[in-house]
Amino acid sequence: AQSVTQLDSQVPVFEEAPVELRCNYSSSVSVYLFWYVQYPNQGLQLLLKYLSGSTLVKGINGFEAEFNKSQTSFHLRKPSVHISDTAEYFCAVSEYGSNYKLTFGKGTLLTVNP
Amino acid sequence: DTAVSQTPKYLVTQMGNDKSIKCEQNLGHDTMYWYKQDSKKFLKIMFSYNNKELIINETVPNRFSPKSPDKAHLNLHINSLELGDSAVYFCASRPEAGNTEAFFGQGTRLTVV
């Protein structure tokens, strides 16, 4: 069965600093990988996704992530964060043949301080 | 135009009551989902329908019953509500083929008192 581990529950950073949110997954088959963002009292918005092809994927708001199959990781990065990036970030995996069921990590709260 | 819309956005009700949450998507997608987000913000899938057919049914109490009158709607009915049912419930949809991205609604915050 698929599972997702987000190693940090909270990540505080200062504005304009770089940030990396870590995500590792476990699966016995090939997977699709996603990062979603949830702003306070909002739904989930897709940041980026890895389906196949290039392992470096770029998303909205200047975020990017790199799929590393050997390390089963899909870490999210941004070179310079803004106050408005403060939100909860969820990594999710969907196994091939699972009817695209998403299994989520427990989330990482990114807090950007001035 | 909201792509995936849920009603109501907030629902406060007493234990033992029966309530429904409605979801509609105007994206023409074939597959719809219900996810539950608990107080610790953990998201877990509950159900999925494809063209009105149930395709995913996770370990959910049978007090929860999804209903899909057509492929644009997936409602969630909950009987005999319990305190532990308090959560945010998210509806999502995705097309059957091609893009595997799921689009989420804004959520329904259910509080059982």
Side-chain angles (χ1 to χ4, degrees), chain B residues 39-69:
Chain B
S39 58
K40 296 184 178 179
K41 301 218 167 174
F42 183 55
L43 279 149
K44 187 171 169 56
I45 191 166
M46 300 173 71
F47 302 103
S48 176
Y49 270 73
N50 180 276
N51 280 317
K52 302 194 296 176
E53 180 184 347
L54 181 66
I55 58 171
I56 295 175
N57 186 351
E58 293 291 294
T59 307
V60 176
N62 58 16
R63 298 182 294 103
F64 290 78
S65 53
K67 287 183 172 54
S68 181

Side-chain angles (χ1 to χ4, degrees), chain B:
Chain B
D1 287 343
T2 304
V4 182
S5 60
Q6 299 178 225
T7 53
K9 189 170 182 179
Y10 299 97
L11 181 55
V12 180
T13 187
Q14 290 186 326
M15 283 175 54
N17 284 350
D18 303 338
K19 290 293 179 184
S20 290
I21 306 171
K22 296 186 177 181
C23 178
E24 176 182 7
Q25 53 94 4
N26 61 7
L27 299 166
H29 290 169
D30 302 292
T31 306
M32 296 183 72
Y33 305 82
W34 278 109
Y35 285 83
K36 178 180 179 181
Q37 186 174 44
D38 64 22
S39 58
K40 296 184 178 179
K41 301 218 167 174
F42 183 55
L43 279 149
K44 187 171 169 56
I45 191 166
M46 300 173 71
F47 302 103
S48 176
Y49 270 73
N50 180 276
N51 280 317
K52 302 194 296 176
E53 180 184 347
L54 181 66
I55 58 171
I56 295 175
N57 186 351
E58 293 291 294
T59 307
V60 176
N62 58 16
R63 298 182 294 103
F64 290 78
S65 53
K67 287 183 172 54
S68 181
D70 55 62
K71 76 172 193 177
H73 295 83
L74 180 60
N75 304 323
L76 183 65
H77 189 75
I78 315 170
N79 289 327
S80 303
L81 278 155
E82 300 177 357
L83 292 176
D85 298 332
S86 296
V88 181
Y89 293 85
F90 286 100
C91 179
S93 73
R94 60 169 299 282
E96 182 167 1
N99 194 331
T100 59
E101 166 190 347
F103 292 79
F104 283 79
Q106 293 296 296
T108 296
R109 183 175 294 276
L110 171 65
T111 304
V112 183
V113 298

Side-chain angles (χ1 to χ4, degrees), chain A:
Chain A
Q2 59 200 30
S3 66
V4 178
T5 303
Q6 289 183 244
L7 295 158
D8 305 299
S9 59
Q10 297 186 56
V11 173
V13 295
F14 287 108
E15 196 173 16
E16 297 183 4
V19 71
E20 178 180 81
L21 305 184
R22 296 179 293 169
C23 173
N24 287 87
Y25 70 92
S26 174
S27 174
S28 56
V29 301
S30 296
V31 297
Y32 303 113
L33 294 156
F34 306 84
W35 276 98
Y36 281 87
V37 60
Q38 185 178 29
Y39 298 103
N41 298 313
Q42 300 283 319
L44 290 105
Q45 180 182 6
L46 182 74
L47 274 179
L48 47 78
K49 60 190 175 189
Y50 172 78
L51 305 180
S52 64
S54 173
T55 58
L56 182 63
V57 292
K58 294 187 183 298
I60 62 170
N61 301 341
F63 284 93
E64 64 179 33
E66 185 153 22
F67 170 55
N68 187 319
K69 188 174 181 179
S70 62
Q71 297 188 6
T72 59
S73 67
F74 190 55
H75 301 332
L76 181 70
R77 301 186 186 98
K78 186 169 182 178
S80 175
V81 294
H82 304 291
I83 299 280
S84 59
D85 292 323
T86 295
E88 192 87 31
Y89 291 78
F90 293 95
C91 181
V93 63
S94 178
E95 286 183 334
Y96 286 19
S98 70
N99 289 316
Y100 302 108
K101 176 178 81 170
L102 287 170
T103 297
F104 286 89
K106 293 190 174 183
T108 297
L109 176 61
L110 174 65
T111 304
V112 182
N113 298 301

